[in-house]
């Protein structure tokens, strides 16, 4: 029996155990997926091996720590320095990022996305910005503090803090901050958000399982919006494929994982 886990702080809200266990149980794969509350990101690697894990997911705020913990990082995660999926490969910790492709899957239903504003500058924002750039999408980033913006400058994004923000029009605005995750905070001052919402076609939040105060604003303004559930499904399917080393069919994984959203 293989053991998998999700690491985060907070982690009790995570639906990942339900999603992955739904796949393992219903496709008869001998594995179990649990959750691990981790305060100190520098303890990720030793905790992973102490628990005897075959693989793991990593959520807020440890995705950059996960990148640093890896013996080897593969694929898109190397570009962004952010890891959300860990695999134990013969005692070595291998890191991947499935968030960005998960988000691209989630916004397939939105037409003609050429210009995006990202709220937040953390690990998820980095992954999304780099992925959008690969699609030649114009990207702006606004964050409450300046410290993390240099990554986005290097990617050739427009970058702002709340004080320096210059409004433009956008096809999509996506909240990648954790504001609204375990509180009722907005990701930026309300007046600023009002002007941004007047100038976008679509809104997305990467937080799932609740109508965040940000999505509530979009709802009140009659703007088409979606929460992070489809992104969660998209990244989960890709992570599960890595966990089972592609021994299960992607379509079967997706079906069983999607079913867990109804539970
Ligand atoms: P990080 O800790 O790396 O970054 C958090 C970002 O949020 C930073 O830019 C931080 O700003 C900003 N922030 C935090 N609190 C506030 C606040 N009260 N007001 C304004 N800005 C704030 O987090 P991650 O990028 O790893 O995760 C962010 C969110 O994305 C989480 O809610 C996570 O659950 C969700 N997520 C969902 C996924 C899905 O599948 N649906 C996948 C991945 C993530 P500063 O730099 O100033 O500190």
């Amino acid at each position: 029996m293989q053991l998998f886990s999700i690491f985060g702080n907070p982690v009790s809200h995570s639906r990942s155990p339900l999603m992955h266990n739904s796949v393992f149980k219903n496709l008869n794969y001998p594995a179990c997926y649990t959750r691990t509350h981790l305060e100190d990101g520098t303890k990720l690697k030793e905790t992973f091996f102490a628990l005897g894990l075959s693989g793991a997911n990593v959520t807020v705020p440890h995705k950059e720590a996960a990148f640093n913990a890896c013996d080897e990082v593969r694929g898109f995660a190397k570009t962004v320095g952010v890891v959300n999926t860990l695999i134990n490969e013969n005692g070595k910790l291998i890191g991947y990022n499935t968030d960005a492709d998960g988000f691209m899957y989630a916004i397939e239903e939105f037409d003609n996305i050429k210009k995006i504003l990202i709220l937040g500058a953390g690990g998820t924002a980095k992954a999304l910005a780099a992925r959008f750039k690969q699609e030649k999408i114009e990207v702006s980033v606004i964050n409450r503090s300046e410290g993390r913006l240099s990554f986005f400058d290097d990617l050739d994004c427009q970058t702002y803090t709340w004080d320096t923000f210059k409004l433009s029009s956008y096809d999509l605005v996506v909240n990648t901050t954790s504001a609204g995750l375990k509180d009722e905070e907005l990701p930026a001052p309300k007046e600023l958000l009002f002007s941004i919402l007047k100038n976008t076609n679509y809104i997305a939040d990467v937080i799932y399982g609740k109508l965040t105060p940000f999505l509530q604003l979009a709802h009140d303004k009659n703007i088409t919006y979606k929460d992070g559930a489809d992104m969660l499904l998209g990244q989960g399917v890709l992570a599960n494929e890595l966990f089972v080393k592609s021994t299960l069919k992607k379509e079967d994984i997706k079906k069983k994982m999607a079913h867990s959203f109804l539970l």
Side-chain angles (χ1 to χ4, degrees):
M1 174 76 81
Q2 293 176 55
L3 184 63
F4 297 87
S5 185
I6 180 156
F7 290 96
N9 178 18
V11 77
S12 57
H13 71 285
S14 174
R15 292 187 68 83
S16 290
L18 193 61
M19 289 160 54
H20 289 279
N21 283 326
S22 179
V23 174
F24 295 148
K25 181 162 183 273
N26 291 302
L27 295 177
N28 295 318
Y29 190 86
C32 180
Y33 190 114
T34 183
R35 51 167 68 88
T36 309
H37 179 97
L38 186 74
E39 300 265 341
D40 180 357
T42 63
K43 299 271 190 310
L44 182 60
K45 189 173 186 175
E46 66 184 74
T47 312
F48 180 99
F49 286 112
L51 291 170
L53 299 178
S54 298
N57 288 119
V58 183
T59 188
V60 64
H62 299 313
K63 291 184 192 187
E64 288 163 79
F67 175 85
N68 293 325
C70 287
D71 295 302
E72 186 187 332
V73 176
R74 293 188 187 152
F76 184 70
K78 264 201 296 208
T79 313
V80 288
V82 178
V83 159
N84 79 321
T85 302
L86 297 165
I87 301 291
N88 179 350
E89 207 172 275
N90 305 318
K92 292 228 181 310
L93 201 57
I94 314 294
Y96 297 85
N97 185 303
T98 68
D99 281 335
D101 281 335
F103 189 79
M104 297 313 285
Y105 159 79
I107 59 165
E108 272 172 9
E109 70 203 59
F110 292 161
D111 297 328
N112 219 9
I113 302 294
K114 296 204 164 61
K115 199 168 166 188
I116 296 182
L117 174 66
I118 297 177
L119 310 179
T124 308
K126 282 183 174 178
L128 297 195
R131 188 67 184 79
F132 296 155
K133 279 289 181 179
Q134 284 184 342
E135 298 295 321
K136 311 268 183 268
I137 293 170
E138 204 180 313
V139 182
S140 301
V141 178
I142 177 170
N143 197 40
R144 67 178 171 187
S145 58
E146 203 178 344
R148 290 160 124 169
L149 289 175
S150 58
F151 173 91
F152 301 89
D153 291 328
D154 295 346
L155 264 185
D156 212 18
C157 303
Q158 298 284 333
T159 59
Y160 308 100
T161 60
W162 295 349
D163 295 336
T164 63
F165 184 63
K166 289 190 187 62
L167 184 65
S168 181
S169 59
Y170 309 98
D171 301 311
L172 170 68
V173 176
V174 48
N175 175 35
T176 70
T177 78
S178 36
L181 177 65
K182 55 178 177 176
D183 52 43
E184 289 303 310
E185 285 185 40
L186 284 166
K190 205 168 188 173
E191 293 309 316
L192 195 62
L193 291 176
F194 278 153
S195 56
I196 289 170
L197 291 184
K198 276 192 200 140
N199 287 281
T200 184
N201 295 332
Y202 302 109
I203 291 286
D205 201 317
V206 299
I207 296 172
Y208 57 87
K210 68 183 278 196
L211 191 67
T212 59
F214 178 60
L215 289 185
Q216 182 68 57
L217 284 188
H219 179 79
D220 295 346
K221 302 276 175 203
N222 267 330
I223 302 171
T224 304
Y225 65 88
K226 72 185 310 178
D227 75 358
D230 281 347
M231 176 186 183
L232 182 70
L233 177 62
Q235 64 78 30
V237 169
L238 296 170
N240 196 277
E241 272 193 300
L242 291 165
F243 292 158
V244 302
K245 302 192 175 11
S246 297
T247 54
L248 301 175
K249 286 196 199 125
K250 185 177 194 163
E251 270 319 298
D252 292 341
I253 293 173
K254 191 170 159 189
K255 209 161 125 193
K256 299 302 177 196
M257 205 172 262
H259 180 71
S260 75
F261 282 64
L262 307 173
L263 299 175

